[in-house]
């Protein structure tokens, strides 16, 4: 009786572990082919920027080169290729807004943020406070109330700034 219970518990544990390793997702390739109903392997955000492994509809495991992927969603998370300083890089999309998008690129434990005016310019968010208020305040100068709060350092959190800008 104990051995049957142990086998059943081991089986349930194995299924739950396997189920947690992969999440439903969609992949868009550089050629704009869309691959739907796939199971994408869950890895850390920094690893998600470098490679992708998924199980296709036929049950086969695939690991395409990350350069061939334009964007992909894994559960509620979205990873997109963005154009920064003449280079295409993969970043996690934190905010998909009507006016501004916010991306994060976490490499070696250091997070770098990028903001993009929809259908317009993308900039890297400076890490120093002095440059932050100057660059972000200037970038968002079309919203003077927000720009003034950035200049006075009343607003410092980039996620809050992006959300406020999108609301206005």
């Amino acid at each position: 009786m104990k051995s049957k219970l142990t086998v059943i518990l081991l089986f349930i544990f194995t299924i739950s572990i396997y189920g947690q390793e992969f999440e439903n997702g969609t992949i868009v390739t550089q050629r704009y082919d869309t691959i739907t109903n796939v199971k994408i392997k869950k890895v850390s955000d920094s690893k998600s920027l470098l490679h992708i492994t998924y199980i296709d509809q036929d049950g086969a495991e695939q690991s395409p080169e990350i350069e061939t992927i334009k964007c992909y969603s894994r559960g509620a998370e979205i990873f997109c290729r963005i154009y920064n300083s003449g280079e295409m890089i993969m970043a996690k999309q934190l905010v998909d807004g009507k006016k501004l998008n916010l991306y994060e690129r976490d490499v070696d434990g250091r997070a770098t943020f990028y903001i993009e005016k929809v259908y317009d310019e993308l900039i890297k968010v400076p890490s120093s406070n002095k440059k932050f208020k100057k660059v972000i305040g200037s970038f968002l100068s079309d919203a003077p109330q927000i720009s003034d709060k950035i200049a006075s350092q009343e607003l410092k959190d980039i996620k809050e700034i992006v959300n406020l800008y999108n609301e206005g």
Side-chain angles (χ1 to χ4, degrees):
M1 182 66 177
K2 285 184 180 182
S3 64
K4 286 183 183 181
L5 182 59
T6 304
V7 170
I8 291 171
L9 289 175
L10 183 61
F11 179 73
I12 291 171
F13 177 73
T14 303
I15 289 174
S16 68
I17 295 278
Y18 179 77
Q20 291 175 358
E21 271 190 54
F22 290 84
E23 285 193 44
N24 293 331
T26 300
I27 301 169
V28 178
T29 68
Q30 288 289 59
R31 296 181 175 180
Y32 292 96
D33 296 325
T34 303
I35 307 166
T36 58
N37 299 322
V38 294
K39 299 279 187 188
I40 300 175
K41 189 171 187 175
K42 290 192 329 184
V43 292
S44 69
D45 286 351
S46 59
K47 288 182 181 178
S48 296
L49 304 175
L50 303 173
H51 56 81
I52 181 173
T53 301
Y54 69 94
I55 298 175
D56 64 18
Q57 291 177 340
D58 299 327
E61 191 169 292
Q62 306 285 333
S63 293
E65 294 293 323
I66 198 70
E67 291 81 19
T68 65
I69 306 298
K70 180 165 179 52
C71 66
Y72 70 94
S73 64
R74 181 183 66 208
E77 299 175 314
I78 299 172
F79 295 87
C80 296
R81 189 163 298 287
I82 59 175
Y83 190 74
N84 176 56
S85 301
E87 178 183 15
M88 295 297 285
I89 59 172
M90 190 66 85
K92 182 178 181 180
Q93 187 168 21
L94 299 178
V95 176
D96 181 14
K98 294 177 184 175
K99 300 176 186 178
L100 280 183
N101 295 325
L102 177 64
Y103 301 95
E104 178 184 24
R105 184 164 168 83
D106 185 349
V107 178
D108 298 328
R110 293 182 52 218
T112 304
F113 294 95
Y114 300 86
I115 56 174
E116 172 188 48
K117 287 188 178 177
V118 177
Y119 304 114
D120 201 357
E121 186 180 5
L122 176 118
I123 65 167
K124 182 178 176 180
V125 176
S127 57
S128 81
N129 287 335
K130 189 174 183 178
K131 283 186 178 180
F132 180 90
K133 67 181 186 178
K134 182 179 178 185
V135 171
I136 302 303
S138 174
F139 187 68
L140 303 178
S141 62
D142 57 326
Q145 294 173 329
I146 295 173
S147 185
D148 291 344
K149 287 182 180 181
I150 294 169
S152 69
Q153 294 189 329
E154 188 177 332
L155 284 175
K156 295 180 181 179
D157 180 34
I158 192 65
K159 291 177 189 173
E160 182 182 3
I161 292 167
V162 168
N163 287 327
L164 285 172
Y165 188 91
N166 282 326
E167 289 172 7

